[in-house]
Amino acid sequence: MKITFLGATRTVTGSNFLVEGAGKKFLVDCGMWQGKTEIEMENSEEFQYDVNDIDFMLLTHAHIDHSGRIPKLYKEGYRNKVYAHKATCDLCTLMLPDSGHIQEMENEWKNRKRIRKGEKEKEPLYTAEEAVRCLEIFEPVKYDEIIEITPEIHVRFNDAGHMLGSSIIEVWIKEDGKEKKTVFTGDLGNNDIPLLSEPTMIEDTDYLVMESTYGSRLHLANEEKAKLFLDIVSETLDNGGTVVIPSFAVGRTQEILYEINKLKDIIDDAEFKRKYKTLMKSPVYVDSPLAISATEVFTENMDLFDEETQAQINSGDNPLEFPGLQFTRTAEESKALNEDITPSIIISASGMCEVGRIKHHLKHNLWNPKSTILFVGYQAPGTLGYSIVNGAEKVKIFGEEIAVNAKVEYLEGYSGHADQEGLMNFIYSFIKKPKHIFLVHGEPEAQEILGDKIEQETRNWCNNTRIW
């Protein structure tokens, strides 16, 4: 068996691994490169394999950095199956066409610049229509079932707890009378994520390909995170400002809605209750058509929620609904939010502030010292969100220079990724320990710190840790 690491190597984007074994070639993920311009240019480069040689694909989850180039595969002739959990298939029906629409819009803008320079126009990476067509090759699977791809190759999808439908994939390959097993974690969930179950613990493997996004850090405890969230929000609302939350449309948005609904049950304290009433009296807008549709997919897959959430649902309390919650679907409704001086909370995609309606809300609120920009997810280097979080005094949005006078906050505990402790616990949980561990999907510092820790604590049973 041979694994070639073609993406998410010393970075957190472009997940793409080529596996060769038992006479077959297959992919694990085919994600889009996101971040700096030079990184995003990788998307238009040729694949480092012949698309026609790929026999099948395994998709860990729907996030675009793992699924975003599947339409490009399809456009170039790939017609074999993409195996993914049913909820991942459901979310891809929303996210891939949305990505295609973004490709079209950005390409149109770039073509206007090319024409003015006397350069030739280019096609988008793929269109929304091409993304819709690629969905015909998706093959939905369930958790915990061993699937025979060929007599020599078997796979099993397990709940990764990172987002709805996210999967840890076990792969068994038999060659020359010997069977070897590899586990691909995809993105491992944070144990404190509301709604979702904790990542499945795997009993054994020969090789482990594991993400390392937060390999150097620890998250806030859940109760502390919720209290900080309420403190930040209530202070801004009391000051007459707007709280803008750049949120990933799928995952973080639904978890924030859940947290807002649950805050009332966490602390029995007069001041806490006052702040909670302030929150409940204020409008909370979800301003992202994709997030709205994704929330609907969440409600259709509530069987994947953790036991506590399912008990709450059975009691008649929908964890994704509460007073003051409003969904803005149209562009006109979105624009109206920035003309309304009522203190409010606006949750809008994209989470790294690169595309979408969030850029308009930042343009109208970053300059205002009464407002707060509250980040709740990972910000990749080179993105607008990364610049704001790391103290930029001014940023450019739609070609206009905007002063960063608003308060900027970052609650890392809302991350959908396991922290260093969660990653180490996943490794410790193996009864039969992996012989080799390959770290992917992490920035160099996070990988090196995690790699050193793994080597120190597993030297008795792990031959080595490789950073990719």
Side-chain angles (χ1 to χ4, degrees):
M1 183 185 70
K2 177 182 177 182
I3 303 174
T4 307
F5 299 87
L6 300 172
T9 53
R10 301 185 73 82
T11 184
V12 297
T13 189
S15 184
N16 189 208
F17 313 119
L18 172 65
V19 184
E20 300 172 69
K24 300 294 181 181
K25 292 184 180 181
F26 62 93
L27 301 178
V28 177
D29 290 347
C30 190
M32 188 171 285
W33 297 89
Q34 298 172 305
K36 297 178 182 178
T37 301
E38 54 267 32
I39 292 176
E40 292 191 348
M41 288 176 65
E42 294 278 351
N43 291 317
S44 57
E45 296 294 321
E46 292 185 4
F47 289 112
Q48 297 179 53
Y49 41 81
D50 187 336
V51 169
N52 297 310
D53 289 343
I54 305 302
D55 295 291
F56 62 94
M57 178 181 162
L58 308 175
L59 177 60
T60 60
H61 63 287
H63 279 152
I64 292 299
D65 61 325
H66 292 257
S67 69
R69 284 191 295 162
I70 295 175
K72 183 175 187 283
L73 272 180
Y74 185 91
K75 184 177 180 179
E76 295 187 11
Y78 179 76
R79 292 295 184 274
N80 293 326
K81 289 183 179 180
V82 175
Y83 294 93
H85 186 271
K86 175 192 172 295
T88 296
C89 295
D90 291 345
L91 290 170
C92 280
T93 64
L94 305 175
M95 298 178 71
L96 294 180
D98 181 74
S99 175
H101 175 71
I102 291 169
Q103 300 305 313
E104 291 182 76
M105 295 302 100
E106 290 191 343
N107 190 70
E108 183 180 337
W109 174 73
K110 289 176 181 177
N111 273 341
R112 287 199 294 268
K113 292 181 69 175
R114 291 182 186 114
I115 291 170
R116 289 195 293 270
K117 290 181 180 179
E119 298 174 353
K120 288 184 178 180
E121 295 182 59
K122 294 184 179 179
E123 287 187 356
L125 188 66
Y126 54 85
T127 65
E129 183 181 344
E130 287 165 339
V132 169
R133 288 205 299 267
C134 88
L135 297 168
E136 69 185 24
I137 62 176
F138 277 64
E139 181 75 15
V141 301
K142 297 178 181 179
Y143 286 141
D144 306 322
E145 293 184 357
I146 295 180
I147 302 162
E148 181 180 288
I149 306 294
T150 73
E152 295 77 30
I153 301 176
H154 296 77
V155 303
R156 178 163 59 194
F157 285 66
N158 306 273
D159 195 343
H162 171 69
M163 70 174 299
L164 200 72
S166 62
S167 301
I168 300 162
I169 304 177
E170 299 170 272
V171 180
W172 292 267
I173 297 180
K174 190 172 184 178
E175 291 181 300
D176 302 322
K178 295 180 181 180
E179 187 171 74
K180 295 292 183 182
K181 179 181 176 183
T182 304
V183 170
F184 295 86
T185 66
D187 287 350
L188 283 175
N190 173 2
N191 285 347
D192 281 341
I193 292 179
L195 297 176
L196 302 180
S197 299
E198 294 182 0
T200 305
M201 297 295 106
I202 309 298
E203 290 190 357
D204 62 89
T205 192
D206 295 297
Y207 308 106
L208 173 62
V209 179
M210 188 175 79
E211 71 119 320
S212 54
T213 309
Y214 283 97
S216 60
R217 286 178 274 180
L218 299 175
H219 294 325
L220 289 170
N222 214 2
E223 185 176 299
E224 183 182 358
K225 172 187 68 176
K227 185 177 182 301
L228 281 172
F229 177 85
L230 186 58
D231 287 346
I232 292 165
V233 169
S234 61
E235 181 183 352
T236 304
L237 296 174
D238 286 342
N239 290 337
T242 297
V243 181
V244 178
I245 305 178
S247 180
F248 300 93
V250 181
R252 299 302 81 73
T253 293
Q254 292 74 29
E255 289 148 23
I256 292 167
L257 297 182
Y258 176 88
E259 285 281 286
I260 292 173
N261 188 48
K262 287 286 289 181
L263 279 171
K264 63 183 183 296
D265 303 323
I266 296 175
I267 299 175
D268 186 16
D269 174 84
E271 179 61 11
F272 187 92
K273 289 181 177 179
R274 183 199 70 78
K275 293 175 180 178
Y276 180 76
K277 286 181 180 178
T278 299
L279 171 59
M280 286 295 104
K281 288 189 293 186
S282 303
V284 178
Y285 299 102
V286 176
D287 185 39
S288 164
L290 178 58
I292 295 167
S293 297
T295 302
E296 292 169 353
V297 171
F298 268 64
T299 61
E300 293 165 4
N301 287 274
M302 287 187 175
D303 60 306
L304 299 179
F305 293 174
D306 60 26
E307 292 181 6
E308 179 187 353
T309 305
Q310 292 201 41
Q312 184 181 347
I313 293 166
N314 292 333
S315 72
D317 183 6
N318 187 329
L320 301 179
E321 294 179 358
F322 52 88
L325 177 63
Q326 301 178 50
F327 293 96
T328 53
R329 293 182 181 273
T330 68
E332 290 71 25
E333 290 172 327
S334 177
K335 291 175 183 176
L337 299 183
N338 292 315
E339 298 169 1
D340 189 344
I341 61 172
T342 305
S344 63
I345 300 170
I346 300 173
I347 304 170
S348 187
S350 71
M352 296 187 194
C353 308
E354 286 296 279
V355 296
R357 296 178 179 182
I358 187 63
K359 296 180 78 170
H360 294 277
H361 299 308
L362 290 175
K363 180 180 177 181
H364 285 85
N365 287 280
L366 267 176
W367 60 269
N368 187 350
K370 291 183 178 180
S371 292
T372 296
I373 314 302
L374 175 55
F375 289 90
V376 293
Y378 181 82
Q379 303 300 306
T383 62
L384 176 58
Y386 182 89
S387 297
I388 296 170
V389 164
N390 284 276
E393 295 181 358
K394 295 180 180 180
V395 294
K396 273 197 172 183
I397 302 177
F398 301 124
E400 182 179 344
E401 197 170 73
I402 308 293
V404 182
N405 296 327
K407 183 182 288 187
V408 177
E409 300 281 1
Y410 182 31
L411 280 182
E412 190 171 271
Y414 278 100
S415 171
H417 292 267
D419 62 3
Q420 185 187 83
E421 183 180 357
L423 293 168
M424 292 303 299
N425 285 341
F426 184 78
I427 294 172
Y428 296 146
S429 71
F430 284 94
I431 297 171
K432 178 188 173 185
K433 309 300 185 185
K435 299 172 185 174
H436 300 272
I437 299 174
F438 301 90
L439 296 183
V440 296
H441 204 285
E443 299 296 337
E445 181 185 8
Q447 289 190 317
E448 287 162 12
I449 291 173
L450 180 62
D452 289 343
K453 187 172 182 64
I454 293 171
E455 288 179 353
Q456 290 169 11
E457 299 191 17
T458 67
R459 60 183 56 174
N460 292 332
W461 46 265
C462 181
N463 292 344
N464 59 38
T465 302
R466 301 291 297 277
I467 295 173
W468 294 92

